[in-house]
Amino acid sequence: EVVRGQGVAPPAGVAEMGAFLGPFMADRHGHGVASQWAHETCVVWCPEVYYDAERCRLRKVEAAIKRGARIKCAHCDLRGATVGCALGRCPRSYHLTCAHAAGCRFNAGAYTIACPTHSNPRRTPGPTWTTTLASDA
């Protein structure tokens, strides 16, 4: 989830998914700069985001936010879906919480998901692939 706010403090009342990262300053369609915050858990599951050990920070977060603003979630039909099915040429993308609600399987080691259509046990065997973000335990 991306939250737009004013200033440099994280927004209150929307922290169910854990800590926020930000603020990220992103130009929105050439109309100035806005402060944006994103859940850390959601950010690390975005395929373009990676950890830069030399600078001790996550990179490409702004790109993930911009890309997500254009993509609708296959579960809730709202924009902001940044996690896509990793199997085949599947077009389905999800918000991280929606992926869980929709029954996707998760590969926490690779930070990838398989949508319900592609999450049969042959294609997504345990224990690498699970039905939760951590494990099936």
Side-chain angles (χ1 to χ4, degrees), residues 91-109:
R92 292 176 192 86
S93 289
Y94 299 87
H95 300 103
L96 193 57
T97 54
C98 289
H100 194 270
C104 294
R105 287 182 56 87
F106 298 85
N107 181 335

Side-chain angles (χ1 to χ4, degrees), residues 6-134:
Q6 305 296 324
V8 294
V14 282
E16 296 85 21
M17 285 291 295
F20 277 101
L21 295 177
F24 299 101
M25 306 305 275
D27 182 19
R28 185 133 170 99
H29 309 295
H31 299 293
V33 177
S35 171
Q36 297 179 342
W37 294 81
H39 287 116
E40 180 178 16
T41 305
C42 298
V43 166
V44 298
W45 283 80
C46 297
E48 62 268 83
V49 173
Y50 66 94
Y51 182 72
D52 182 343
E54 186 176 302
R55 297 179 188 239
C56 296
R57 62 178 282 207
L58 292 172
R59 307 286 287 180
K60 303 283 187 172
V61 176
E62 295 89 347
I65 291 171
K66 286 181 181 181
R67 181 179 60 81
R70 298 187 309 267
I71 302 171
K72 284 189 177 181
C73 178
H75 183 70
C76 74
D77 206 36
L78 296 175
R79 293 192 187 281
T82 57
V83 184
C85 179
L87 299 178
R89 294 179 147 198
C90 183
R92 292 176 192 86
S93 289
Y94 299 87
H95 300 103
L96 193 57
T97 54
C98 289
H100 194 270
C104 294
R105 287 182 56 87
F106 298 85
N107 181 335
Y111 291 101
T112 56
I113 68 164
C115 74
T117 301
H118 296 116
S119 63
N120 69 56
R122 267 193 0 237
R123 285 183 137 172
T124 57
T128 302
W129 291 87
T130 66
T131 57
T132 63
L133 296 177

